[in-house]
């Protein structure tokens, strides 16, 4: 693996995760829904169990106290990396690699949850040389 992740900008590309395939746009929707569900909805029941029902989990992460200093936290970033295959609409066929899902949870912006998908192929794709056709013809004869 070359560890060079490229951003998946085309929402029509297809990602294969084990047995399930998703368009990039649909996978982003599903991940965003899960983040919201786990971060917002479950925080209320968790906090109720510790007698702070009016506070959300995100409140716990707004600031850190180090000695007498307070550090405000504007954004929490999570990175997930999973094995996958990618089918680009440019027609290059399925490519094995890693999918990196970057999740940004902001305490200061109106768009609280942002996602970025990146892909790193296991093997770098070799650009096809214009001489490949000639080499194939020579090998046949």
């Amino acid at each position: 693996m070359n560890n060079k992740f490229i951003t998946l900008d085309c929402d029509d590309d297809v990602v294969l995760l084990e047995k399930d395939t998703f368009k990039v746009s649909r996978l982003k929707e599903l991940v965003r829904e899960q983040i919201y569900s786990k971060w917002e909805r479950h925080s209320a029941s968790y906090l109720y169990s510790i007698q702070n029902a009016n506070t959300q989990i995100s409140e716990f992460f707004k600031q850190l106290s180090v000695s007498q200093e307070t550090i405000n936290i504007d954004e929490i970033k999570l990175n997930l990396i999973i094995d996958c295959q990618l089918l680009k609409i440019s027609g290059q066929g399925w490519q094995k690699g890693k999918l990196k899902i970057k999740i940004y949870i902001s305490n200061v912006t109106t768009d609280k949850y942002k996602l970025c998908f990146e892909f790193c192929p296991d093997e770098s794709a070799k650009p096809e040389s214009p001489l490949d056709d000639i080499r194939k013809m020579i090998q046949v004869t």
Side-chain angles (χ1 to χ4, degrees):
M1 188 170 84
N2 59 19
N3 291 328
K4 292 188 179 181
F5 283 87
I6 55 165
T7 302
L8 296 180
D9 292 327
C10 181
D11 286 341
D12 289 331
D13 289 343
V14 178
V15 176
L16 172 64
L17 303 174
E18 293 196 23
K19 298 177 184 176
D20 296 316
T21 56
F22 305 91
K23 286 175 72 173
V24 169
S25 59
R26 180 65 178 143
L27 187 56
K28 284 180 181 178
E29 287 175 24
L30 293 171
V31 170
R32 189 179 320 269
E33 288 172 8
Q34 282 290 305
I35 293 167
Y36 177 80
S37 175
K38 291 181 184 302
W39 191 262
E40 298 288 335
R41 294 182 189 151
H42 293 295
S43 66
S45 62
Y46 169 75
L47 290 169
Y48 181 76
S49 68
I50 60 171
Q51 307 302 320
N52 285 329
N54 294 329
T55 309
Q56 295 179 335
I57 288 177
S58 58
E59 294 292 319
F60 288 121
F61 295 105
K62 280 196 172 181
Q63 56 183 234
L64 297 173
S65 295
V66 179
S67 188
Q68 296 179 359
E69 298 296 321
T70 299
I71 302 169
N72 291 324
I73 300 173
D74 295 334
E75 183 176 87
I76 297 168
K77 181 170 43 171
L78 305 169
N79 289 326
L80 312 168
I81 299 177
I82 54 176
D83 290 324
C84 74
Q85 291 187 45
L86 178 68
L87 179 63
K88 297 185 79 53
I89 61 169
S90 58
Q92 299 171 350
W94 288 101
Q95 193 172 19
K96 290 184 179 183
K98 305 281 186 213
L99 176 67
K100 181 188 286 186
I101 302 173
K102 293 181 174 182
I103 302 168
Y104 302 92
I105 303 171
S106 174
N107 288 320
V108 294
T109 63
T110 55
D111 186 15
K112 190 169 184 168
Y113 307 106
K114 294 184 207 170
L115 296 174
C116 177
F117 284 18
E118 295 178 348
F119 179 75
C120 178
D122 286 343
E123 298 174 13
S124 61
K126 296 179 186 174
E128 200 169 302
S129 168
L131 298 175
D132 285 346
D133 291 335
I134 295 171
R135 290 184 188 114
K136 289 176 188 175
M137 289 186 336
I138 292 172
Q139 289 177 351
V140 172
T141 57

